[in-house]
Structures are given as C-alpha cells and as structure tokens.
C-alpha cells in the first residue's frame, strides 16, 4: 500500500469526515457511564437538538415517543447487557415538537477481556419508509375489507359469514353457550326480477339488505348475505325465544318498507320467509349440520305459505 494512502487511513480526520458526510447519524456511548462519547453533527439537521444536548441515554430516552419509550429502552438495554448487536425502530421528538421515525442500528464493542466497553451505531431517518408501510397496511386492510364485503349490497358476504360462524361456534362449544342462527329468503324474488328486471331487482336486494342489517342491535350479532336472495343472522349467546323475536323484527321491518310486489301470490308487497334455530354445540357437533338444520326450517316456512317464521 502506498505510504500516502496508509497515512490517510491512519488519520482520524479521514474517519471523521467519512462519518459526517453520510445522512446516517453516527454515535458512540460509553457503557460504564452511559454517556455519549460522540454524536454526529447531522443530529442537529434531523432533529433540531444541539449536539451538546445529548449528554447521556436519558436524553435519548426522553426524546422518544411515550408510546415507544418503555418497549425500546427495555429491549435495547437488555440486548446491550447480553452483548448482542441489535436494532430498534421508534418515533423521536424533534426540537419543534414533531415526531419522526428513527431506526437505531447498534453494535457492541468489547474490551480485551470480552466485557462490553461501548455501544456504537447509526441513527437512520425512516419516516418515509414508515409512511409507505402504513399506506401499504391501509391498502391491505381496505382490500381485506372488500374481500369480506358483498359487492352489491355492501353487507358482509358468505366468506365472512363462514369465518364468523366458525369463530362463534368454537366459542359456544368452549363455554357451552347457546348460539342462534336466522336464515332469511325473499319470497318469490324470481317473479320480482321477471316483472321489474335485474336492475330494479338489484336495487331491491340493496334495500332489503340495509333494512335487515338495521335489525342487528347488539355489537356481537352478525348479519351477512348468504347468497342470491338469502340472508343470515348469527346471534351469539341467544336462546330460541329471543332469536324468534329478532326474526319477527326482521319480518316486520321488511313489511314496513312496502316494496310493491304485484307478481307475489303471498302479498301485494315484498315479504320474507324465515327459519330460526338455536343450539349449544357439543364437542362432536359440526357447524355445517347446524346450518342445514336451520335451512330446513327456512324451507318449511316456504312450504307453510311464506311470510312466516319456523323455529
């Protein structure tokens, strides 16, 4: 190696210039005193705090978002005591009262006896990355919501119903509590479509879905479109008599809408048929069998003249 290059590498000013030319903020903490031995001048541009205001780790901790402080400080101290390199993301307070996202990458420096001597690392501004991550999470959440929503009516779809019923079924099994199911079918909806056309039929489905959804009064109850002109209600911790009352409320709510249905031989306005069932599932019971049992009651309500409830 040429002597000029060797002299350059040995020169501390070379390393200092190198460190202070990067956007990352270099720092060093003495482990015994927990004080800053060095922090890069970039800290002033990024956070606004003067370099000499970073005396020790208390300054670092106090300038951390309260919601992040305990988690990050405990993690970093534990990793440092264990002598393990680590990194942590947190929100850092700026001098003008704002917060930006920081990633601290920490390396443990040991003495000749293998004991922790100091911590050295870099602070990186990851605010833009976090914004992008949060936007991605928001879009993923929105996409997930759309995948569980019926595109036509805006209520929960069959996929969401299947997941919710499975969860409620397992909860009812575990705690030996009654679970009620209400299945609803619009009476003679094919005839309605034939008379008014599919555009008006879709509008009718939306109105029925929103009306039935308003019958859900408890936060734990769940309403969904089961398919076609069928809808379903899950009522956790509900006995049969209470479930029948909800079913009757649904029937009356639709009747009050007074949606004309001249093609119906049941009524001059749109009506619904309803099947209701309640079960406290045992370990060997299957949710699919419960759905089939309530579906048979829905079929029975149609056989009995429609616009009625079978339990």
């Amino acid at each position: 190696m040429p002597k000029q290059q060797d002299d350059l590498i040995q020169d501390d000013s070379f390393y200092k210039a190198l460190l202070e030319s990067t956007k990352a903020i270099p720092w060093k903490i003495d482990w015994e005193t927990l004080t800053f031995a060095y922090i890069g001048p970039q800290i002033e541009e990024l956070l606004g705090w003067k370099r000499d205001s970073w005396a020790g780790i208390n300054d670092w901790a106090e300038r951390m978002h309260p919601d992040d402080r305990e988690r990050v400080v405990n993690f970093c101290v534990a990793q440092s005591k264990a002598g393990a390199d680590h990194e942590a993301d947190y929100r850092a307070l700026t001098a003008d009262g704002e917060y930006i996202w920081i990633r601290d990458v920490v390396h443990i420096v040991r003495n000749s006896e293998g004991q922790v001597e100091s911590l050295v690392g870099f602070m990186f501004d990851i605010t833009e990355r976090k914004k992008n991550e949060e936007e991605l999470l928001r879009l993923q959440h929105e996409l997930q919501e759309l995948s569980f929503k019926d595109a036509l009516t805006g209520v929960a779809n069959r996929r969401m119903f299947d997941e919710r019923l499975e969860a409620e079924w397992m909860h009812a099994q575990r705690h030996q509590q009654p679970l009620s199911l209400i299945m609803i079918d619009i009476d003679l909806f094919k005839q309605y479509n034939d008379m008014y056309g599919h555009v008006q039929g879709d509008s009718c489905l939306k109105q029925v879905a929103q009306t039935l959804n308003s019958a859900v009064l408890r936060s734990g109850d769940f309403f969904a479109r089961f398919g076609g002109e069928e809808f379903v209600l899950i009522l956790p911790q509900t006995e049969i008599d209470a479930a029948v009352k909800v079913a009757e409320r649904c029937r009356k709510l639709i009747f009050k809408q007074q949606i004309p249905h001249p093609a119906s031989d049941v009524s001059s306005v749109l009506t619904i048929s309803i099947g209701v069932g309640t079960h406290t599932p045992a370990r060997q019971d299957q949710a699919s069998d419960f759905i089939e049992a309530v579906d048979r009651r829905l079929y029975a309500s149609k056989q009995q003249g429609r616009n009625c409830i079978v339990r």
Side-chain angles (χ1 to χ4, degrees), residues 54-180:
W54 296 84
I57 65 166
N58 285 339
D59 300 304
W60 168 70
E62 288 172 2
R63 291 167 181 169
M64 198 178 295
H65 194 287
D67 292 345
D68 301 335
R69 186 178 298 134
E70 183 177 1
R71 169 183 59 84
V72 173
V73 171
N74 289 346
F75 171 74
C76 289
V77 169
Q79 293 297 103
S80 298
K81 286 181 177 179
D85 292 350
H86 56 279
E87 59 183 57
D89 295 352
Y90 57 89
R91 288 161 289 181
L93 179 67
T94 65
D96 56 6
E98 301 294 327
Y99 283 98
I100 65 171
W101 277 99
I102 293 289
R103 172 164 294 168
D104 246 328
V105 178
V106 185
H107 175 66
I108 307 299
V109 178
R110 301 173 182 273
N111 59 24
S112 58
E113 298 175 356
Q115 298 173 329
V116 177
E117 182 178 76
S118 61
L119 312 178
V120 297
F122 287 92
M123 292 182 184
F124 296 90
D125 179 4
I126 60 168
T127 303
E128 283 303 314
R129 183 187 304 178
K130 281 292 182 179
K131 285 181 180 179
N132 292 337
E133 289 175 358
E134 289 170 1
E135 177 64 11
L136 181 60
L137 286 173
R138 186 191 68 79
L139 291 173
Q140 288 175 339
H141 180 69
E142 186 175 302
L143 182 62
Q144 185 179 39
E145 283 189 338
L146 289 173
S147 71
F148 286 128
K149 185 179 291 186
D150 179 61
L152 175 63
T153 63
V155 300
N157 61 14
R158 175 64 183 271
R159 179 184 174 188
M160 184 61 179
F161 164 75
D162 290 340
E163 291 201 7
R164 184 64 175 266
L165 182 63
E166 181 181 1
E168 295 294 352
W169 184 262
M170 292 176 62
H171 185 273
Q173 272 184 329
R174 189 179 306 113
H175 300 281
Q176 280 300 283
Q177 295 173 336
L179 179 67
S180 289

Side-chain angles (χ1 to χ4, degrees), residues 269-284:
V269 295
L270 197 78
T271 58
I272 55 176
S273 296
I274 305 175
V276 184
T278 298
H279 187 63
T280 301
R283 184 184 298 272
Q284 70 277 8

Side-chain angles (χ1 to χ4, degrees), residues 12 36 99 133 139 191 202:
D12 287 344
F36 279 95
Y99 283 98
E133 289 175 358
L139 291 173
Q191 288 84 338
D202 287 350

Side-chain angles (χ1 to χ4, degrees), residues 218-233:
R218 302 183 308 176
S219 60
D221 297 342
F222 177 80
F223 173 74
R225 185 182 181 189
F226 192 70
E229 63 270 24
E230 290 190 16
F231 299 90
V232 65
L233 266 163

